[in-house]
Amino acid sequence: MDQIVDLVSEKAGISKSQAETAVDTVLKFIKERLPAPLGDQLETLLDGADNLDLDKGMDLLGGLFGKK
């Protein structure tokens, strides 16, 4: 998840601490609105995010929100 925080920090031009708060807030918001099994899968996915290709992961998340 550190990669996601770093990416948000870089793209938004905010501190790492601010980015961490933003990422945590967004993830909590998303997880609360997903069915429990999907929310758990999202958490599992993000726990291993340091091993993921972030561009591919962002494409997958974009699909979740209707972006193609």
Side-chain angles (χ1 to χ4, degrees):
M1 189 144 100
D2 288 338
Q3 283 182 310
I4 296 170
V5 170
D6 290 342
L7 181 64
V8 170
S9 176
E10 178 185 325
K11 297 286 183 177
I14 58 178
S15 73
K16 190 170 180 174
S17 175
Q18 291 170 314
E20 189 172 295
T21 299
V23 169
D24 286 342
T25 301
V26 170
L27 293 177
K28 187 180 293 184
F29 176 85
I30 292 169
K31 189 174 177 191
E32 287 173 356
R33 280 150 182 80
L34 291 173
L38 289 178
D40 293 341
Q41 288 179 3
L42 177 63
E43 190 170 324
T44 299
L45 173 72
L46 293 175
D47 284 344
D50 291 337
N51 299 322
L52 296 175
D53 177 349
L54 282 180
D55 289 331
K56 190 174 184 178
M58 294 303 281
D59 288 342
L60 292 170
L61 286 175
L64 178 66
F65 296 105
K67 243 178 136 178
K68 293 184 180 187

